[in-house]
Amino acid sequence: MSFIKRSEEEFLHQNFRYYMDSDREIMEVIQGKDLQTVDGVQQTLDQMHAFMGSEFMLTTASVLSKRYGYYIATVPLALMTIFNKFPDMRLSNIELVRIDEDKKWLPQFNLLSKEVSEPANQTREEWMTTELEKLFNHHVRPLFLKINQLTRLSMDVMWENTAIYIFWLYERQFYEWYDERVAAGMKRDFYYVVRDLPGEVFGTKSNPFTYFLDQPILSTGARERKCCCLSYKKNKDSTYCKVCPHLSRH
């Protein structure tokens, strides 16, 4: 039985809003298990909607999938690529912990059990496929389907809300941390996740991330979004994201 090391948790905490014990007051905790039911997702959306002062429920729903997508794209994939470990990402094993009053709603991500899997007797690709199918088909897609059922937010928007952070991690962040040779090697995992995995790993006909791979690279190094995340509709003071496709049309 293997676990995330304290040093690895510190790495996640410093880079990916991973929660570690803090003296700061906890303002709100959303239990992942509450996101396993339609009623629980609705309650979470209602709480977020009120807290953010949102005027458009589709935007609130997109923010929920965007925050969750960020944690999905960073914590398990960084552990997988850098440390050859994969955490237990079941909703029943996670919490979203808010420790500030920022109206953008930026909770930190907590794993209740720190147990991880490792390649062991499998090839690395077999291990990755097994763990990624658990993640995307059994945890991510069911939550997205519940959000879609409640709000009709497009599944493409939610998958891209995850994809943008996968692109950021592998195409930009790793190149800041490692030399080009090492970062290029890490990018093999990127293409495996966004291009090579078949649709059944996601519970879909095709890999949903592949749809976003042909997006243009902006001068910042970020990819332009294919689908608008609707953040600009939150309220009258909201603006477009820097990678919003609407910007290139104006």
Side-chain angles (χ1 to χ4, degrees):
M1 190 176 295
S2 299
F3 297 89
I4 306 174
K5 294 179 180 177
R6 183 73 177 181
S7 59
E8 294 163 351
E9 285 197 286
E10 289 171 352
F11 170 81
L12 296 174
H13 175 68
Q14 290 166 7
N15 294 288
F16 304 127
R17 297 204 300 267
Y18 178 88
Y19 180 77
M20 294 185 74
D21 295 339
S22 169
D23 293 333
R24 295 182 63 178
E25 181 183 356
I26 293 176
M27 306 294 182
E28 177 186 32
V29 177
I30 291 176
Q31 304 282 347
K33 63 182 181 181
D34 293 337
L35 299 175
Q36 293 178 305
T37 66
V38 172
D39 287 345
V41 174
Q42 182 65 71
Q43 183 178 359
T44 299
L45 287 170
D46 290 343
Q47 290 172 350
M48 289 175 58
H49 199 66
F51 174 76
M52 294 192 303
S54 179
E55 298 172 0
F56 193 49
M57 185 54 81
L58 275 178
T59 295
T60 304
S62 184
V63 170
L64 175 58
S65 70
K66 207 176 198 180
R67 299 296 179 261
Y68 180 63
Y70 172 80
Y71 305 125
I72 291 301
T74 55
V75 173
L77 297 189
L79 281 172
M80 178 184 79
T81 293
I82 301 173
F83 302 110
N84 263 352
K85 294 180 175 181
F86 209 98
D88 179 357
M89 293 296 293
R90 287 176 296 179
L91 287 170
S92 58
N93 192 50
I94 72 171
E95 292 178 335
L96 303 181
V97 182
R98 183 166 62 80
I99 58 174
D100 60 42
E101 295 293 346
D102 190 328
K103 295 303 181 182
K104 292 180 180 178
W105 196 73
L106 297 164
Q108 296 188 356
F109 182 82
N110 186 37
L111 288 167
L112 300 176
S113 167
K114 316 300 181 183
E115 188 175 351
V116 295
S117 75
E118 295 176 305
N121 297 325
Q122 295 176 295
T123 67
R124 191 163 184 277
E125 285 194 355
E126 289 172 340
W127 168 70
M128 288 169 60
T129 301
T130 297
E131 293 300 329
L132 290 168
E133 180 172 14
K134 290 181 201 171
L135 177 67
F136 292 123
N137 193 13
H138 299 294
H139 311 325
V140 177
R141 185 169 177 267
L143 175 56
F144 286 177
L145 286 171
K146 290 179 181 66
I147 295 173
N148 172 263
Q149 176 186 342
L150 289 167
T151 67
R152 295 293 179 254
L153 180 66
S154 163
M155 293 292 285
D156 282 343
V157 169
M158 288 187 277
W159 283 119
E160 190 170 22
N161 283 346
T162 304
I164 57 172
Y165 295 117
I166 298 177
F167 296 154
W168 167 76
L169 181 68
Y170 285 98
E171 295 185 321
R172 301 171 68 192
Q173 196 62 51
F174 283 161
Y175 280 85
E176 291 184 15
W177 293 339
Y178 301 99
D179 65 45
E180 189 170 342
R181 180 184 61 82
V182 173
M186 291 175 157
K187 206 168 182 179
R188 285 194 291 269
D189 282 0
F190 167 73
Y191 284 117
Y192 191 72
V193 172
V194 302
R195 184 188 63 195
D196 299 340
L197 284 175
E200 52 261 33
V201 170
F202 300 86
T204 55
K205 291 182 179 179
S206 60
N207 186 322
F209 296 138
T210 306
Y211 178 60
F212 308 108
L213 263 178
D214 61 352
Q215 285 303 99
I217 307 294
L218 303 175
S219 59
T220 59
R223 288 174 179 259
E224 180 182 275
R225 287 189 65 118
K226 182 167 285 193
C227 308
C228 176
C229 73
L230 305 172
S231 291
Y232 77 98
K233 287 193 169 187
K234 175 185 166 185
N235 55 46
K236 61 181 177 60
D237 297 320
S238 301
T239 58
Y240 293 118
C241 297
K242 294 179 181 178
V243 294
C244 183
H246 290 305
L247 292 176
S248 62
R249 299 169 192 160
H250 289 182

